[in-house]
Amino acid sequence: MRFSQLYAPTLKEAPSDADLVSIKLLIRGGFLRKVAAGIYTFLPLGLKVLKKVEEIVRQEMNAIGSQEILMPIIQPAELWHETGRWDDYGPEMMKLQDRHERFFTLGPTHEEIITHILRNELKSYKQLPFSLYQIAMKYRDEIRPRFGVMRSREFLMKDAYSFHDSWDSLDDTYRDFYGAYSKILERIGLDFLVVEADSGAIGGNESHEFNVLAKYGESTLLYCDCGYAASDEKAEYRFELREQQGESGTLESVATPSSRTVEDVSSFLGVNAGDIIKSLIYKGRKGYFIVLIRGDEELNESKLKAAMNDQTVVMATPQEVMELLKVPTGFVGPVGLPEEIRIISDYSIKGLKNAVCGALKEGYHYRSVLPGRDFEIDEWLDLKMVRPGDSCPKCGTPLKSAKGIEVGHIFKLGMKYSEKMNGYITDAQGRNSPYIMGCYGWGVSRTIGAIVEQLHDKDGIIWPLEACPFHIVVTAVNMKDESIARTSLEIYNLLKSKNFDVLLDDREISPGMKFKDADLIGIPLRITVGKKLSEGVIEIKSRTEAKSVSVSIDNGYEAVSLEIERALSAYNPKSVLKLEEE
Ligand code: ATP
Ligand code: MG
């Protein structure tokens, strides 16, 4: 490809709404253009990179025997009604109507479609196990589209689904996908961490997320040297009882006129946040309930939803609380609650014996509260947001935390979809039973953002060899110089014949601008044909090495080939990042 014919409009400055270095570089480098919030066009360079990542994912899927299909993006609402997810999935789902006013969704995921297709065709356990995958656009009306293609509203996903007649068989396939996902990230050459994850609206009973480590990653990961690692939505800890000091007094009501938050109450009454019981009213499928947690801890809603087995759980609005208890949210507490409101408590409340909580009366709190004496707890659960420093649930040492970008997510779905959608087979004993499923998502377009977020320096992107738009750029310093033009073309053709992805920078701009663009776009090797050609010398510069190497072409291009071979085998994007840190 000649640069003069390539549509790669590079920019000096990134647009002001580009909110992370990766999207800034991808726009400046001419890879992407934004069309609307969370909606992007991939320009030629961007599409080249996307296709390379897609191909790596495809190869690793094929390697574990998964078979590629292509399902429709537009899905009829009826299928989503069958699983209840038309209502449960929430506002992220893009909904539309056809001319007959029938509802459809632009698929945010494809469990319903795949289960529907197979329920009419799968008959016997003898047809199992197998897995199918597709690589296609997904649509999610994210509340805050951001970070370019990493949290967009239209994005390319690889989604796979597996089918089994036993849990052991699901475990085997799950392990295969786990291995394939690790291999994808190893091939691309990214540092990553696999964590136990919450399975959220997709459902199921075990799930793992594959995270590319990056300073500004959206996911918070907790991990321990013993091997335990989990996303903050899922992380557990080892509970250690901490007894509150002093003896329990008699329950008393005190005026706390305008103290509504834990902070207000703690400073007004002169008590620690850890002596306060935070009381939160939630609403789920079975109605309202109260959740208690110690004032110095944070409630983890993902753990709450998972523990209640109810994804519809949301905090009640202040109006709802007022209607239910005739009191503003800041004064809600568990003492004297109506019977029908279940009291769910986080373990952090254990050990409190002189606590403070809302008195269910505007402007008042209770002091000297003793759980068990002043109110009964219906259910104890682990609902707290685990923090670095909390004890590892496996070995007890303090947990550490890191930031990551979730690029892959695998789930053991079990029979959630097959049961609801009548996906039955005859098992080995001749019984009719729902098939067991797994599902496995990979964010192909998000991976592009994640690569750049991890691999860049002040000059631009440093693409790994497996995902670079071009391996080599031949920079002809001046195409009007006949010998420079001829040599550049000869090298360009030679490299093409060796199956390299080569770009010939034949543009009529200054060499300095050409070098800047090559670094910004992030091409691994640059071969400069310039002034030194009169001495029979060209220069080869690796994006990951500080100095260029002069190579003589007096005796043909053999030395050039050897230096390219050396530079490519030594090519290591991570080495540049280490240098930058020093
Ligand atoms: P997140 O927690 O980041 O919203 P998710 O758990 O909703 O992700 P899944 O439903 O598991 O995501 O989707 C599979 C993969 O699709 C994710 O691991 C991620 O790589 C990618 N993905 C999900 N949402 C987006 C998005 N809005 N933009 C780009 N990629 C996405
Ligand atoms: Mg999501």
Side-chain angles (χ1 to χ4, degrees), residues 92 140 142 151:
E92 271 185 26
R140 293 184 186 177
E142 297 280 354
R151 185 163 297 285

Side-chain angles (χ1 to χ4, degrees), residues 2 6 95 115 142 198 202 213 243 450:
R2 285 170 178 254
L6 174 70
K95 295 175 176 173
T115 312
E142 297 280 354
D198 174 53
I202 305 265
L213 297 173
E243 291 255 1

Side-chain angles (χ1 to χ4, degrees), residues 140 142 149-152 155 157 202 406-409 411 441-443 446:
R140 293 184 186 177
E142 297 280 354
V149 288
M150 290 206 274
R151 185 163 297 285
S152 47
F155 58 96
M157 196 204 283
I202 305 265
E406 176 204 321
V407 288
H409 199 168
F411 302 80
W442 187 279
R446 181 180 281 185

Side-chain angles (χ1 to χ4, degrees), residues 64-96:
I64 56 168
S66 198
Q67 301 162 66
E68 188 165 7
I69 59 170
L70 187 60
M71 290 181 269
I73 282 165
I74 295 196
Q75 312 179 7
E78 295 82 70
L79 294 177
W80 287 75
H81 283 304
E82 286 188 45
T83 57
R85 285 211 298 176
W86 184 258
D87 299 316
D88 285 2
Y89 201 90
E92 271 185 26
M93 200 172 183
M94 296 261 201
K95 295 175 176 173
L96 69 155

Side-chain angles (χ1 to χ4, degrees), residues 191 215 454 456-457 574-582:
D191 286 331
K215 208 160 142 197
Q454 192 176 92
H456 68 267
D457 65 4
K574 286 181 204 158
S575 65
V576 182
L577 308 179
K578 294 222 174 71
L579 279 178
E580 292 236 314
E581 272 166 21
E582 277 159 15

Side-chain angles (χ1 to χ4, degrees), residues 198-211:
D198 174 53
S199 37
I202 305 265
N205 35 26
E206 190 178 346
S207 113
H208 285 89
E209 279 170 6
F210 288 71
N211 285 274

